Amino acid sequence: SLVWMARPGMLFWKKRDSSFHPLGLSWVFGYNSSLAVHSLMDGEDRVLLYVSSHTVVIHDILQNRQFHLQGHTNVISCLCVSGDKRWVATADQGPDALIIVWDSYSGVPVCTIFLNHSEDGVCAIAISQDAKYLVTISAAAVQKVCVWRWTLPTEKAICSTELKPEFGYQDYVSFNPQNPHEFVSNSKTQVIFYLWVRQGQLWDENTAWLLSPQTFKCLVGQFSQSVFHFNNTQALTGTSAGKLVVWDMDDPHTHPKELPAKPHGVTATKVVSMQKESLTVLEVLESCIVTGDVKGQVKFYDGQLRLLTIYSHDKVGPIQSISFSTIVRDPPTSWSDSSNSVSLTLNRNFILSTSDATMFHVATDSTNFERIMKEAKKAVNAIACHPQEPFVAVGSHCGLLKVWDYKQTQYLVSRIFTEASIQCLSYDPEGRFLAAGFTDGSVYILDAISLQSICEEFQFSQGPVTHISFSHDSKYLATADENYSVTVYKRVLQNGSSCWEYLAGLDSHYKPIRSILFGVHSDSNEPRLLSLGEDRQLVEYDLKSSIKDHLVVTHRDRLEQVAVPLCLAWYPELSSESFFLTANNCYKMKLYNTTTKMCRKTLLGPTYGSPLEKMQILPRTSSADPQQHYLVYITKDKVGLQMLPVDGNPHKSSALICHPDGASDFAISHDGRYIFTAGGKDRTFMKWKVNLPALDAAAFLGGEDLIPFYNLLDGGREGRFFRELEDYFYYVQLCSQGINTLENRQVSTHMPLEEIPSVMRAIGFYPSEEEIEEMINEVKFSKYADTGEEVTKINLEDFIKLYINHRPALGLSMKTIQRAFQVLGYDNKKGDKVIDRGDFLSLLQCRGEQMTEAELAECLITLLGRTPREGGSELDTCDTAGAAGLTEEEIPAEITAEIFVADILGLPIAE
């Protein structure tokens, strides 16, 4: 097997084949600086292991290559590495939390443990010195400690116990290197020692009391990390006051076969003041004790806590982890009088990682601190690709702006802005300028190569700048901010040289702006600017007519009735009609005519857990089919590809988890070969290689024509639902020809467009009047641009596509109706959300798509099953007094969501 034959460094012998996936992770930039960094290979090699979001990265620094261990769907919360550095255990927090043990030699996941949902994942993990056992501490409110024998195929822990809340939130755990049956954990205020035995026997904590300030009789500060002393009779705990608490263990056990009658005692015998600075890292390395602190100092002590040596550098921040090499160099002659074990320990190189996202390699023979990585220490929200060169610019909330050569994966240039946080970036189409928007509302226009400012910063936005974009001719720059304003800057000539100046701004929207988009007018080469907001307004501006301090609006169109549009893009010229594409929060994509703003098509979009947040058309590569286009998008946590034209076929779309805590932005390389995603608060960004043939193959295997759409129907092509749909389709043909006619029937494969609403309602989809109009217009004008003629009928195949694309993507849930009652109703005496009967009738007649009294009466009579009055006379649907009497009899004075659904609409309520 791969694991049996694996050797150190084998990961990089053969390139991982990602040809079966439309997107493959190519490189990860940045890492989680709150977790440890481990050195895997030593000597001349320098291979590091660290965590970036939900991915474990094995990074060969000298050879500039990475290998990625992918398997978690949530952000990795903790990790540990075995003593021989072969086995790596990782765990996460969130839905479907996992523990995975990896073989670092081959990259193979050798064990996966699926955790219970109620445990909320893992906050701390450790592996025993013999690499047979794992101990985990859950992240739940009531924490659970579990011991696992991961080398055995079992889903259950060997033993476990729940911790009392008085022990605090335990977030660090460590095994006794000399006894895998002992381990210690600590919170900020409490330390717990554990002893466990074989499966099936009970175990317990070895502390029976809570620690308090009186326990130590001095100020010790908060606990950071706890370890066992190499003498096997003591344990140590580091504190934020620069002290070490020394614990003495009476009669330590080695490998107990059963629990003793009473756990052996653990007593805090003394508190040793080591320094003033807070201790952040505490490790035991053979015959030395090593500490790291907030000043970036690393100190080595002997077993009696006597100082041996110090390593420090003024550029090193608070230390997060220390990882030592396993290969020991020849000790210097100056240490020849020391004991052999201490000399060997002090002669190991090590890797430092700091909480400000910097890594150092420390050579102990020269005390040289070599910085090998410096990444963003705060959220990464801004990313942009150069339009001509293989450069990607990334900005973070710590003010760090970096530019990388993504083909060579080399850092090129950086600049730090100390005034505010970078929120968005954009290159101009000529590649000369890089514009940056900041959280304080300022806008910088920089030289794209040197990152130096080419003019004074602008401060015209009243809130954080959220979007920034250049026009196609690089003459205009537009921004949007959190105060719902659009601001435009213009490039002008001054004294023979080009410079930028403020043109105008406008409070265009009353809800957050989701997109600003430059285009080109079809009848000229003038720039065209649009903005789209959550207020459902699409605003178009007249840049040519705009003057200083006056931004002219040419059109303001409402795009949606209920859904909220989230993103906007120009649609490729795939037909004689030009469109722009939107995606909304109901998983629908819509095509609008660029001139009339009329909705021409509604289509089912990708449904991968959350709606599309941003999208762009993928630039065509030289080897791509010139007739084939693709769309790139991100959802809340995924990046995906969509084949164009969009038609609702789910097999034409693919997505992968990129940032479980939320993807903030993305950019596409100028040649369309790579996609870059920014992870926001996970402080990373990722490079994805595009593999279009894999998506083409998936679409082909999904079936042609209507096969993919049949599979979206309940029961498929052979199901009951499809047979009912056929019956309704042919029934409306009978109705259109007259039910009682005696003439020969003309059986057709089409039905009139006017019957679309009736059939939709008959099969359980109840569109609004506006949705009905959009459906009919979609079919009626489907061929108008090509033939100039309107379509008056529809066949069954096109009707199925129309139904699938227009119906609610996730159905109508009870929660949606309950939310409506939360907004429209009030709390009655029982505490239920209710709507008054009079208000209910008034809302239906006065708000939204208003119903007349006659229409309301007819609906209620039909729904409540009342047709004739007593005495045989028909109830006139226009008789509002009869309707009022009916409502008083059948509808209660206070209506809950459940009454509305079950008693009025007559629909079943799911359990």
Side-chain angles (χ1 to χ4, degrees):
S1 71
L2 284 176
V3 176
W4 182 261
M5 299 291 293
R7 296 293 180 269
M10 194 183 82
L11 282 175
F12 302 109
W13 294 355
K14 186 179 179 181
K15 232 178 179 182
R16 177 179 285 187
D17 184 12
S18 59
S19 60
F20 297 113
H21 304 284
L23 291 173
L25 184 59
S26 177
W27 199 271
V28 178
F29 301 82
Y31 71 101
N32 186 345
S33 57
S34 62
L35 298 181
V37 175
H38 294 273
S39 175
L40 291 187
M41 294 177 65
D42 308 291
E44 296 301 320
D45 296 316
R46 198 172 298 169
V47 179
L48 305 182
L49 180 142
Y50 52 83
V51 168
S52 296
S53 188
H54 64 311
T55 303
V56 181
V57 181
I58 299 178
H59 190 171
D60 186 338
I61 298 293
L62 299 180
Q63 298 296 323
N64 197 28
R65 52 192 181 181
Q66 287 184 350
F67 190 89
H68 308 114
L69 307 180
Q70 296 175 273
H72 291 276
T73 58
N74 304 301
V75 171
I76 295 173
S77 56
C78 51
L79 82 158
C80 60
V81 177
S82 62
D84 61 1
K85 302 193 176 183
R86 176 164 189 179
W87 311 107
V88 179
T90 56
D92 62 52
Q93 297 177 15
D96 303 319
L98 297 174
I99 300 170
I100 303 179
V101 181
W102 312 83
D103 174 20
S104 70
Y105 292 178
S106 63
V108 173
V110 294
C111 176
T112 302
I113 301 171
F114 298 89
L115 299 176
N116 193 315
H117 288 277
S118 62
E119 293 181 2
D120 296 325
V122 176
C123 71
I125 190 169
I127 189 168
S128 61
Q129 185 68 21
D130 59 9
K132 292 181 180 179
Y133 304 102
L134 292 175
V135 59
T136 61
I137 303 179
S138 74
V142 178
Q143 290 185 287
K144 191 174 183 180
V145 182
C146 299
V147 177
W148 312 83
R149 178 73 182 265
W150 68 267
T151 54
L152 298 178
T154 177
E155 290 287 330
K156 294 183 179 180
I158 296 175
C159 50
S160 63
T161 190
E162 288 187 353
L163 300 180
K164 299 175 183 177
E166 300 87 69
F167 285 123
Y169 188 78
Q170 300 284 316
D171 58 2
Y172 184 82
V173 64
S174 174
F175 270 102
N176 184 345
Q178 301 179 56
N179 182 3
H181 291 259
E182 280 187 305
F183 58 93
V184 60
S185 73
N186 67 263
S187 65
K188 300 299 181 188
T189 59
Q190 303 293 324
V191 180
I192 307 176
F193 292 85
Y194 307 81
L195 179 69
W196 66 274
V197 295
R198 291 185 217 169
Q199 185 175 1
Q201 295 185 327
L202 298 174
W203 66 297
D204 202 352
E205 308 99 36
N206 288 348
T207 54
W209 66 91
L210 290 172
L211 301 175
S212 67
Q214 289 73 32
T215 304
F216 305 103
K217 299 179 182 179
C218 66
L219 182 66
V220 297
Q222 295 183 332
F223 299 139
S224 55
Q225 295 184 357
S226 300
V227 296
F228 287 89
H229 198 291
F230 54 78
N231 62 19
N232 201 31
T233 62
Q234 291 179 318
L236 305 170
T237 298
T239 78
S240 61
K243 298 177 181 178
L244 282 181
V245 179
V246 180
W247 308 86
D248 276 1
M249 296 183 291
D250 303 330
D251 186 28
H253 299 275
T254 53
H255 295 278
K257 295 184 178 179
E258 60 181 14
L259 271 178
K262 181 182 179 181
H264 62 262
V266 180
T267 308
T269 55
K270 56 183 175 180
V271 177
V272 183
S273 181
M274 311 299 291
Q275 58 186 54
K276 292 182 179 179
E277 295 83 9
S278 173
L279 297 176
T280 56
V281 176
L282 178 62
E283 289 197 13
V284 172
L285 186 67
E286 295 178 351
S287 56
C288 282
I289 294 164
V290 187
T291 65
D293 60 36
V294 293
K295 290 288 188 179
Q297 302 175 106
V298 179
K299 298 181 180 181
F300 289 76
Y301 300 87
D302 65 10
Q304 303 301 315
L305 299 183
R306 292 175 297 198
L307 182 64
L308 297 174
T309 187
I310 301 176
Y311 296 92
S312 64
H313 194 284
D314 57 0
K315 295 291 179 71
V316 180
I319 294 176
Q320 188 68 34
S321 70
I322 306 171
S323 180
F324 290 89
S325 67
T326 54
I327 297 177
V328 182
R329 297 173 288 103
D330 294 331
T333 56
S334 60
W335 289 346
S336 59
D337 56 341
S338 303
S339 67
N340 186 51
S341 60
V342 173
S343 297
L344 292 178
T345 302
L346 292 176
N347 205 30
R348 288 189 181 186
N349 295 343
F350 55 91
I351 297 293
L352 284 183
S353 71
T354 66
S355 57
D356 58 4
T358 309
M359 298 183 200
F360 294 90
H361 178 264
V362 182
T364 54
D365 56 351
S366 62
T367 65
N368 177 41
F369 282 69
E370 178 193 354
R371 191 174 73 183
I372 55 178
M373 192 179 296
K374 180 175 178 58
E375 300 298 340
K377 57 186 177 183
K378 291 186 179 179
V380 176
N381 283 342
I383 192 165
C385 283
H386 195 280
Q388 298 165 10
E389 301 293 335
F391 303 154
V392 58
V394 183
S396 77
H397 273 196
C398 63
L400 176 63
L401 173 61
K402 292 182 76 171
V403 178
W404 293 79
D405 181 330
Y406 55 77
K407 282 194 175 178
Q408 302 299 324
T409 323
Q410 291 181 343
Y411 155 73
L412 297 178
V413 65
S414 65
R415 178 177 173 181
I416 295 179
F417 298 85
T418 57
E419 299 82 7
S421 304
I422 303 172
Q423 187 68 22
C424 52
L425 293 170
S426 178
Y427 280 100
D428 80 298
E430 297 173 359
R432 295 173 54 194
F433 308 116
L434 175 62
F438 289 76
T439 54
D440 65 351
S442 60
V443 173
Y444 284 73
I445 301 178
L446 312 172
D447 180 85
I449 302 300
S450 67
L451 301 186
Q452 296 303 307
S453 301
I454 63 171
C455 60
E456 291 293 323
E457 73 270 18
F458 296 104
Q459 189 74 55
F460 292 95
S461 297
Q462 300 304 310
V465 179
T466 56
H467 300 78
I468 192 163
S469 182
F470 284 94
S471 63
H472 74 286
D473 55 6
S474 301
K475 291 182 178 179
Y476 293 94
L477 172 68
T479 67
D481 59 49
E482 285 189 4
N483 283 5
Y484 320 143
S485 300
V486 172
T487 307
V488 178
Y489 304 89
K490 187 176 182 180
R491 185 155 60 104
V492 295
L493 283 175
Q494 253 184 22
N495 301 324
S497 61
S498 174
C499 67
W500 290 85
E501 67 175 19
Y502 167 76
L503 179 61
L506 183 67
D507 295 337
S508 308
H509 299 267
Y510 61 89
K511 285 188 177 181
I513 297 173
R514 298 296 308 205
S515 294
I516 55 172
L517 187 66
F518 272 106
V520 183
H521 282 285
S522 57
D523 54 350
S524 68
N525 199 38
E526 289 296 320
R528 185 179 183 183
L529 177 61
L530 305 171
S531 67
L532 178 67
E534 290 184 11
D535 54 7
R536 305 180 180 89
Q537 297 289 325
L538 179 73
V539 182
E540 183 169 0
Y541 307 89
D542 187 348
L543 297 177
K544 192 173 183 180
S545 302
S546 297
I547 57 175
K548 185 77 171 179
D549 296 325
H550 181 62
L551 187 58
V552 178
V553 173
T554 57
H555 295 95
R556 188 181 293 270
D557 299 280
R558 184 182 177 91
L559 295 189
E560 298 277 3
Q561 183 182 32
V562 175
V564 177
L566 300 179
C567 47
L568 175 71
W570 296 108
Y571 201 64
E573 297 289 341
L574 302 178
S575 66
S576 56
E577 194 174 0
S578 58
F579 303 103
F580 58 81
L581 178 70
T582 67
N584 63 34
N585 65 336
C586 295
Y587 299 92
K588 300 296 184 183
M589 305 178 83
K590 291 190 174 184
L591 290 175
Y592 292 86
N593 184 282
T594 56
T595 304
T596 64
K597 312 294 193 327
M598 177 181 176
C599 179
R600 292 287 291 103
K601 216 161 198 181
T602 299
L603 303 146
L604 178 65
T607 52
Y608 295 111
S610 58
L612 273 59
E613 298 284 340
K614 296 183 178 182
M615 59 185 179
Q616 293 181 35
I617 302 300
L618 183 74
R620 283 184 292 180
T621 62
S622 56
S623 59
D625 181 356
Q627 299 302 317
Q628 186 64 62
H629 296 262
Y630 300 84
L631 179 80
V632 182
Y633 60 86
I634 55 171
T635 66
K636 180 182 177 182
D637 60 347
K638 298 177 181 68
V639 59
L641 282 173
Q642 168 76 52
M643 290 179 65
L644 299 181
V646 182
D647 60 3
N649 181 353
H651 301 291
K652 289 187 176 181
S653 179
S654 174
L656 289 172
I657 295 175
C658 56
H659 302 279
D661 270 358
S664 59
D665 200 2
F666 78 98
I668 309 173
S669 64
H670 65 89
D671 57 4
R673 297 181 184 274
Y674 298 101
I675 299 169
F676 299 87
T677 58
K681 62 182 181 180
D682 71 15
R683 294 164 285 176
T684 68
F685 74 100
M686 299 185 180
K687 171 186 169 185
W688 304 84
K689 188 173 183 180
V690 177
N691 182 18
L692 298 179
L695 182 60
D696 296 340
F700 176 78
L701 293 173
E704 297 179 341
D705 301 325
L706 277 178
I707 292 176
F709 296 93
Y710 286 140
N711 294 332
L712 295 176
L713 296 176
D714 187 18
R717 175 68 176 80
E718 306 300 325
R720 177 182 174 185
F721 181 85
F722 180 78
R723 293 197 300 271
E724 287 185 356
L725 176 57
E726 276 187 318
D727 291 343
Y728 287 128
F729 188 84
Y730 291 113
Y731 177 71
V732 296
Q733 292 188 33
L734 296 178
C735 293
S736 64
Q737 298 175 27
I739 293 293
N740 298 320
T741 183
L742 298 178
E743 299 178 3
N744 291 334
R745 299 284 183 181
Q746 299 295 322
V747 179
S748 171
T749 57
H750 294 74
M751 73 174 186
L753 295 186
E754 297 77 20
E755 299 294 342
I756 288 177
S758 301
V759 180
M760 290 289 183
R761 290 165 181 152
I763 58 178
F765 169 41
Y766 305 98
S768 66
E769 295 300 317
E770 183 172 313
E771 289 172 327
I772 290 171
E773 183 180 356
E774 287 183 353
M775 283 192 290
I776 292 176
N777 287 339
E778 180 177 322
V779 181
K780 180 186 293 185
F781 298 109
S782 58
K783 299 179 181 178
Y784 190 83
D786 298 324
T787 64
E789 297 179 355
E790 296 180 0
V791 176
T792 59
K793 53 188 179 180
I794 185 172
N795 60 28
L796 180 60
E797 290 76 14
D798 290 338
F799 181 87
I800 290 173
K801 289 184 180 180
L802 192 71
Y803 166 71
I804 287 172
N805 283 318
H806 280 265
R807 68 177 180 179
L810 304 179
L812 181 63
S813 68
M814 190 65 191
K815 287 183 179 179
T816 305
I817 297 174
Q818 288 170 341
R819 280 197 297 267
F821 272 72
Q822 290 280 340
V823 174
L824 300 173
Y826 61 91
D827 292 322
N828 64 5
K829 294 180 180 179
K830 297 180 180 179
D832 298 327
K833 280 290 181 183
V834 297
I835 299 177
D836 178 77
R837 180 173 57 206
D839 293 340
F840 172 74
L841 297 175
S842 176
L843 286 168
L844 291 174
Q845 295 177 79
C846 303
R847 302 293 294 272
E849 293 184 348
Q850 302 170 9
M851 301 177 71
T852 65
E853 286 186 325
E855 290 172 335
L856 179 58
E858 182 180 7
C859 285
L860 290 175
I861 289 167
T862 305
L863 286 170
L864 299 174
R866 295 281 297 273
T867 47
R869 288 181 181 176
E870 292 183 9
S873 62
E874 295 287 336
L875 173 65
D876 185 357
T877 57
C878 297
D879 185 353
T880 56
L886 175 66
T887 58
E888 289 178 5
E889 293 176 16
E890 303 290 341
I891 301 177
E894 293 181 338
I895 306 170
T896 65
E898 290 72 23
I899 290 174
F900 176 68
V901 171
D903 298 343
I904 297 177
L905 297 182
L907 299 175
I909 299 177
E911 293 294 333

